[in-house]
Amino acid sequence: MLTLLTNADVYAPAPLGRRHVLVAGGSIVSITKRVPEITGVPIDVVDLGGRRLVPGFIDAHVHVTGGGGEAGPETAAPAPALSRYTTAGVTSVVGLLGTDDTTRTTAGLLRQVYALRRQGLSAWAWTGGYHLPPTTLTGAVRTDIATVEPILGFGELAISDHRSSQPTMHEVARVAADCHVAGLMTGKAGVLHLHLGDGARGLGMIRDLLDTTELPARTFHPTHVNRRSGLLDEALDLAARGVTIDVTAFPPAFATDDEVLAAKAVERFIEAGHLARLTVSSDGGGCLPHFRDGELVRMDFATSGALADLLADLLGRGVPLEDALPPFTATPAHYLRLPNKGEIVEGGDADLVVLGDDRPTEVMARGRWHVRDSRPVVRGTFETSD
């Protein structure tokens, strides 16, 4: 069945104004100023009444198998349910392993990526985890990226964190080179996605790698940079050198005195003229531990819902929607080389979000409605209805 969304205020993410969007076979067939005349075939017409239609969000940092485990086996988080993503407006995810890349494996990560695809999301993966030597499927980072279709790069390799393997610059350079070369071989992103802890070394290693190797700036994708203000300052400097930075939508209740709220971090990138070098992600499925002198003092649980909260916060601060949207949509799609994602364009995938009161109320993933009237209409295999 065709789906025709009429009277949509389209942000592609650039504002297009009032448009009528025709969807068929999981793709956007047309975007027109006049309602198209369609006869002889079944069609579902949905009048959006001027509500804003935006691209589906891309969450490039999700613990799709669950994260955590830092405080014992009972603190390992379960895999998030399908509707945890869709009700937040997320239609594409990149899954990863974190602290526990010992009992959780790349094979298990890929299984969950394939499961999410079968349930209607678009999903990819980072190989590896916090530590070196890396957890891989084939035994080598370059081979994983070159031969396993969903794997885009390596992540989240931990630096400046007491939980990391304390990698040397030489070791990180070797992994980054494998990512870069595999990207050249395949046309994939070939990115090294880096977890930043709150250690004093900060982003110094990335600066040194840019200064002393031939690796291009796009190879490095540091995340969690808003965990303290000094780290965010370093990240803005790296953005000026061509590095794409990822800000984490930490829940406000988790914020420490020195942490920069995600909305404020995004505003700083806009003010500095570096919006094109910014992505945002949720750390969904992961535990949010707070340490003092290496000891766990409290823990929270992250979800992709933080992205919906972040967008609403940005709009509430007066950030225009066309400026707020790219880090959620077009920028990660272009940076991670995800074809047909991140924009509302003819021929693109029908990953669409309707906003009401600045939050997702309807969500379509690959042409199928997953959320209507703010409630999930498609659920994961083991989800129960409300």
Side-chain angles (χ1 to χ4, degrees), residues 63 65-70 72-73 76-77 96-106 128-131 135 156 163:
H63 296 274
T65 60
E70 287 106 330
L96 45 66
L97 303 177
T99 310
D100 183 4
D101 49 11
T102 302
T103 68
R104 300 186 193 269
T105 66
T106 303
Y130 264 33
H131 305 111
T135 299
E156 57 175 320
R163 295 164 294 176

Side-chain angles (χ1 to χ4, degrees), residues 308-322:
D309 294 341
L310 173 56
L311 181 63
D313 192 1
L314 288 167
L315 298 179
R317 290 167 176 258
V319 177
L321 183 56
E322 59 267 32

Side-chain angles (χ1 to χ4, degrees), residues 6 16 29 38 63-64 72 86 107 117 184 207 219 244 302 304-305 341 347 362:
T6 62
L16 302 184
V29 175
I38 300 171
H63 296 274
V64 295
T86 55
R117 287 182 174 187
L184 295 175
R207 289 195 300 272
T219 307
T244 297
S304 290
K341 299 295 183 184
E362 275 76 30

Side-chain angles (χ1 to χ4, degrees), residues 229-266:
S229 58
L231 192 59
L232 183 63
D233 292 339
E234 292 184 68
L236 284 160
D237 289 341
L238 284 180
R241 298 184 64 176
V243 176
T244 297
I245 305 295
D246 189 59
V247 160
T248 306
F250 294 120
F254 182 72
T256 60
D257 291 340
D258 194 36
E259 184 175 305
V260 182
L261 293 178
K264 181 60 179 175
V266 173

Side-chain angles (χ1 to χ4, degrees), residues 15 44 54 70 75-76 86 102 114 122 155 163 166 170 178 186 216 229 239 242 253 255 262 289 317 326 342 361 365:
D44 178 27
V54 305
E70 287 106 330
T75 64
T86 55
T102 302
Y114 292 131
S122 298
R163 295 164 294 176
Q166 308 304 314
H170 175 77
D178 282 343
T186 61
S229 58
R317 290 167 176 258
T361 56

